Amino acid sequence: MVVAAAGAASLVAAPAGAAPAIRSASAGRRRVPVDRISIQLYTVRDALADDPAGTLAALANIGYTRVEVAGTAGLTAAAFRALLDANQIRATSGHFGIPQPFDAAAWRATLADARTLGCRYVVHPFFGVGPNGPIRDAAVWRAFAQDLNRAGAMAREAGFRFGYHNHHFEFLPLGDESGRTAFDLLTTVTERRLVHLELDLYWSWRGAADPVDVIRANRGRVLQFHVKDMNIDSGFADLGTGLIDFRRIFAQSDLAGVEEYIVERDDAGTGDREPEDALDTAAVGYRFLRNIRF
C-alpha cells in the first residue's frame, strides 16, 4: 500500500537508492519518560522461543523494565512471570485476542492469565482480514466493535484497561458508499471508557492515515503507541533509520493521553534483513526513545 501524499510533507526522505541514515534525536526539550518505554516481545519472538531466560536478561541489560507480551514462549503464565520477576521486568501490557464468536468464559480465563503476568493493559492485536481478503462489510466491523465493548466491560470490571491495536486494514473505506473507514466505525461504536486505542504508528501510515490526525480525532483515548519505523520501500525499519517523523507525533503525546511507548518491528530476526539479530533492533529502539527530544 502506498503512503498518502498528504503525509509525505511530514516524512524525512532519503536519497533514491540510498540506505536511510539514523536521524539526530537531540532537538527539543521534552523526552519520553524512561519508565514508559516498553517493547512488544513479538519483536524478539524467535530469540524468546529459543532462550526465554536469556532473551529477557538481554532486554533488561539494554535497559527495558517493562514489556508487552505476545504469548509466553511455550511456558505457563506463572513460569513466564517468574522469569520476568527474576530480571526485574514488568509485563505491563499484553496482546490477548478476544474469542470470536465472543465467549465470556474463555475471555475470563484469558484475563486470569493476564493477571498472573501482571498486566495492566490487555489489547486485542488483530482484526480485518477474512477468507476473501480485507473485510469491507460494515456489519461485520460493527458486530466486532460490539464484542470489543463486551470484552472491555469485563476487563474493566477485572481491573484492566482494554485496548485495540490497529493495522492498515482499518483505514480502508467500507463498502457501503458512506465514505467511512472501518476505523471510523470502530471508534464510534466502541465506548471510550471501555476500549482505548493502541495506535501503531507504522500501520497508520501504511493505511494512509496521519497519526497526528488520528490522535486529534481521539483525544485522550490513545493510551499506547506502537513505535515502529518505515523504510523507503514502505517496509519495516529500526527506529530512527526510516522515514517517520516521531518528533511531530510525540509532540501530541499529552493530547493523545499516551502512557506507554512500545518499540516494535514485525520482521525482526526473520528473513534476510539487517540487523540479523532482533536484540540489536531492541537496543536501537531503546536508545532512540531515550534520546529523542520533541
Side-chain angles (χ1 to χ4, degrees):
M1 184 170 292
V2 178
V3 178
S10 61
L11 302 180
V12 180
I22 296 178
R23 295 190 304 274
S24 168
S26 60
R29 296 184 177 181
R30 298 188 59 192
R31 61 191 301 174
V32 175
V34 65
D35 62 351
R36 295 189 181 187
I37 296 175
S38 181
I39 184 169
Q40 167 52 253
L41 291 182
Y42 186 74
T43 304
V44 294
R45 59 193 176 277
D46 294 340
L48 195 67
D50 289 341
D51 183 5
T55 301
L56 291 174
L59 291 175
N61 188 57
I62 289 168
Y64 288 102
T65 60
R66 59 169 67 190
V67 298
E68 181 176 56
V69 298
T72 54
L75 303 174
T76 65
F80 198 79
R81 171 67 183 271
L83 291 180
L84 291 167
D85 289 348
N87 288 285
Q88 297 182 310
I89 292 175
R90 295 177 297 145
T92 53
S93 184
H95 276 189
F96 302 97
I98 66 172
Q100 291 286 283
F102 190 72
D103 181 323
W107 183 235
R108 196 171 292 113
T110 295
L111 293 177
D113 281 344
R115 184 178 302 283
T116 297
L117 289 165
C119 297
R120 178 187 180 194
Y121 309 94
V122 291
V123 180
H124 183 87
F126 182 85
F127 189 77
V129 179
N132 299 315
I135 297 170
R136 308 287 284 273
D137 187 336
V140 174
W141 280 102
R142 183 176 297 277
F144 175 67
Q146 291 167 344
D147 283 346
L148 290 176
N149 280 333
R150 294 186 185 99
M154 289 180 63
R156 182 184 176 92
E157 185 177 352
F160 298 101
R161 301 296 299 268
F162 177 68
Y164 178 76
H165 169 268
N166 66 281
H167 287 78
H168 56 325
F169 308 108
E170 292 86 349
F171 300 103
L172 287 169
L174 295 170
D176 58 6
E177 300 183 357
S178 66
R180 297 178 303 166
T181 67
F183 197 81
D184 295 331
L185 190 151
L186 278 177
T187 53
T188 300
V189 174
T190 56
E191 297 183 33
R192 291 175 60 94
R193 69 186 184 90
L194 299 179
V195 184
H196 73 264
L197 302 176
E198 181 178 73
L199 183 60
D200 190 300
L201 306 179
Y202 168 92
W203 286 117
S204 180
W205 274 121
R206 278 289 301 270
D210 185 339
V212 171
D213 290 341
V214 175
I215 290 166
R216 289 175 178 169
N218 296 277
R219 300 180 179 212
R221 194 176 185 180
V222 185
L223 302 189
Q224 297 168 289
F225 283 156
H226 263 200
V227 189
K228 184 187 309 179
D229 216 339
M230 178 186 292
N231 67 25
I232 58 176
D233 298 316
S234 296
F236 304 110
D238 282 1
L239 290 186
T241 70
L243 302 173
I244 295 179
D245 185 351
F246 292 107
R247 285 197 193 92
R248 175 176 170 273
I249 298 168
F250 288 1
Q252 306 297 318
S253 292
D254 290 345
L255 189 65
V258 68
E259 297 174 358
E260 286 196 315
Y261 300 74
I262 305 169
V263 173
E264 187 181 34
R265 178 166 171 171
D266 293 22
D267 68 344
T270 62
D272 183 14
R273 56 167 297 278
E274 294 289 342
E276 183 178 349
D277 190 338
L279 286 168
D280 290 340
T281 288
V284 169
Y286 183 83
R287 288 195 302 267
F288 182 79
L289 289 183
R290 286 287 285 134
N291 292 330
I292 189 170
R293 302 292 184 270
F294 51 94

